[in-house]
Amino acid sequence: MSTLFTGISELHTVSEAGTLDDAAIVVTDGVVSWVGQRSQAPAADDIVDCGGRAVLPGWVDSHTHMIFDGDRSAEFEARMSGGSYEAGGIAVTMDATRSAGESRLEQLLVERIAAARRGGTTTVETKTGYGLNTESEVLAARVASKYADDVTFLGAHLVPPGADADDYLDEVVGPMLDGVADYANWIDVFCERGAFDETQSRRVLAAGKERGLGVRVHGNQLGEGPGVQLAVELDAASVDHVNYLSDADIEALANSETVATMLPACDLSTREPLAPGRRLLDAGATVAIASNLNPGTSYTSSMNFCVTTAVLQQRLSLDEAVRAATFGGAKALRRHDVGGGLDAQGRPAKGTIVEGAAADLHVLDAPSAIHLAYRPGMPMTWRTFVAGKPAF
Ligand code: NIG
């Protein structure tokens, strides 16, 4: 079954082919099978006329915490009155999440992914990290694995109140890791003051690696620290937040395969300095942009908003921001460039519109993508297609 997507005023392939005007795409069995000028498009079984709109790869949201219940608007409001963000707020969400029950967590996750799709997101990573005991973390990983593209085990998000840190880490790298290993493909740690130090973080990541999980790190969010260097040393796919970076951190990232994932909505909500995207790109690092949807620091799945912020506030060009939120996110999940074929798990590449990539398409309700930043906050997503099928 093939579908011709035509009437594309501006096509961002996010590949060497660049941006094409008056373009068309053919999708066959969920994968892009042809890309080029509309006048040269081959026939297909079906047609979607985009009506003179811009098309991008769907957003790849490589950092979310979608498995939670509860609300921390009071904490947010206090912060807006001058308070600062403290990792301890995670425990409030832990209580609400532990008492939610499986069907409610599942319903909340489905609603959150549906909202993300309505905003142009086609790939969603999500994490555990609000259960903080074996039973609740395994439940979170199991629920996440039913709906998310990638699942990250973040048992090392915070030492739960009243627990001893070493005892808790024994549980994280022991029964908790055993329990989530069938559902998660990544391990992560919040390597930050108030959460886990370098030695503790190293222990968690080594245990996950040993179990065959890929590594990612929350690092350098609240101050300079060891997160970035640890991530690069362990060949983590990404280090996320990256607000406070030394010159040595930037150089290490630029000389590595580790993606620096920026979370601009979180930076605004916590009133931390925005991650230094311009410096990272100028040094040659790969950057990603993700939403960081969570109830404490970033209660939004709007990648449109994050991309807009990167252009308006972080001085990325539109093309750089689009690339960071598509190809960058895919690289942060190690789902980028698979040479037009399939990866070792039989999955097509994400984050680009090239032959052989997943037909994950974001059709903007605008003739060009610069409208994302030019008309900030306006509804910008016309349709979203996942593997060539309408996502809403
Ligand atoms: O990515 N930084 C750590 N974890 C989340 C926030 C967790 C919370 O406060 O609920 C984040 O910002």
Side-chain angles (χ1 to χ4, degrees):
M1 177 72 190
S2 59
T3 305
L4 170 67
F5 290 77
T6 187
I8 302 173
S9 54
E10 183 184 274
L11 176 65
H12 288 251
T13 68
V14 193
S15 73
E16 280 172 10
T19 299
L20 310 177
D21 292 335
D22 201 17
I25 304 167
V26 178
V27 172
T28 306
D29 298 331
V31 170
V32 175
S33 54
W34 183 90
V35 181
Q37 295 305 135
R38 171 164 53 173
S39 57
Q40 289 161 19
D45 301 323
D46 198 7
I47 292 192
V48 173
D49 184 354
C50 296
R53 293 179 172 86
V55 173
L56 321 171
W59 302 131
V60 178
D61 194 351
S62 61
H63 183 133
T64 81
H65 304 246
M66 289 197 182
I67 313 274
F68 68 87
D69 199 359
D71 168 288
R72 285 167 44 205
S73 52
E75 175 189 318
F76 171 77
E77 199 166 7
R79 200 155 67 231
M80 293 303 104
S81 307
S84 60
Y85 172 70
E86 302 292 342
I90 293 167
V92 175
T93 304
M94 178 196 80
D95 289 337
T97 304
R98 281 185 185 174
S99 31
E102 179 163 357
S103 61
R104 172 145 175 90
L105 289 179
E106 187 159 339
Q107 176 206 340
L108 288 168
L109 176 62
V110 167
E111 287 169 4
R112 286 170 186 145
I113 291 180
R117 299 254 189 266
R118 290 195 295 276
T121 296
T122 51
T123 303
V124 174
E125 176 273 0
T126 200
K127 296 175 221 313
T128 71
Y130 289 118
L132 305 184
N133 63 26
T134 296
E135 186 189 347
S136 302
E137 286 291 304
V138 174
L139 171 63
R142 186 157 53 76
V143 170
S145 71
K146 287 201 215 170
Y147 302 98
D149 298 276
D150 280 76
V151 177
T152 301
F153 170 45
L154 183 61
H157 202 185
L158 187 78
V159 177
D164 171 80
D166 289 332
D167 292 347
Y168 181 64
L169 282 181
D170 288 346
E171 184 179 353
V172 168
V173 302
M176 218 184 261
L177 180 57
D178 285 343
V180 300
D182 286 344
Y183 307 112
N185 53 331
W186 299 100
I187 188 153
D188 196 347
V189 60
F190 188 12
C191 179
E192 199 76 47
R193 68 172 157 78
F196 296 92
D197 67 19
E198 181 178 350
T199 307
Q200 294 167 325
S201 299
R202 199 178 275 284
R203 182 178 176 207
V204 169
L205 298 175
K209 224 173 171 177
E210 176 93 23
R211 291 297 295 255
L213 301 183
V215 169
R216 41 204 330 107
V217 176
H218 279 65
N220 301 58
Q221 175 184 4
L222 304 173
E224 282 191 24
V228 165
Q229 299 291 343
L230 184 61
V232 169
E233 179 195 321
L234 298 179
D235 188 31
S238 72
V239 54
D240 302 29
H241 285 286
V242 295
N243 300 85
Y244 293 90
L245 298 180
S246 65
D247 289 345
D249 292 333
I250 292 196
E251 195 186 328
L253 286 164
N255 291 316
S256 77
E257 288 300 306
T258 301
V259 174
T261 299
M262 311 192 297
L263 308 167
C266 171
D267 303 344
L268 295 175
S269 172
T270 52
R271 295 200 164 144
E272 292 293 335
L274 287 151
R278 188 70 271 144
R279 278 170 65 210
L280 284 159
L281 284 169
D282 290 346
T286 303
V287 299
I289 293 171
S291 75
N292 191 19
L293 173 78
N294 78 77
T297 65
S298 191
Y299 206 161
T300 180
S301 61
S302 175
M303 292 288 283
N304 289 355
F305 174 74
C306 295
V307 166
T308 297
T309 304
V311 173
L312 295 178
Q313 304 269 354
Q314 293 177 285
R315 301 188 180 274
L316 270 64
S317 70
L318 187 271
D319 283 349
E320 287 168 338
V322 165
R323 181 177 161 86
T326 55
F327 176 87
K331 186 169 177 185
L333 297 172
R334 300 252 157 114
R335 296 212 47 190
H336 59 305
D337 297 342
V338 291
L342 304 176
D343 71 6
Q345 285 82 50
R347 307 174 306 177
K350 296 266 187 174
T352 52
I353 300 175
V354 295
E355 284 179 31
D360 291 353
L361 308 175
H362 181 193
V363 187
L364 297 183
D365 200 3
S368 62
I370 193 63
H371 281 248
L372 283 161
Y374 173 49
R375 294 192 281 147
M378 299 298 285
M380 249 333 124
T381 299
W382 184 60
R383 312 260 303 264
T384 308
F385 295 86
V386 175
K389 300 245 167 27
F392 64 90

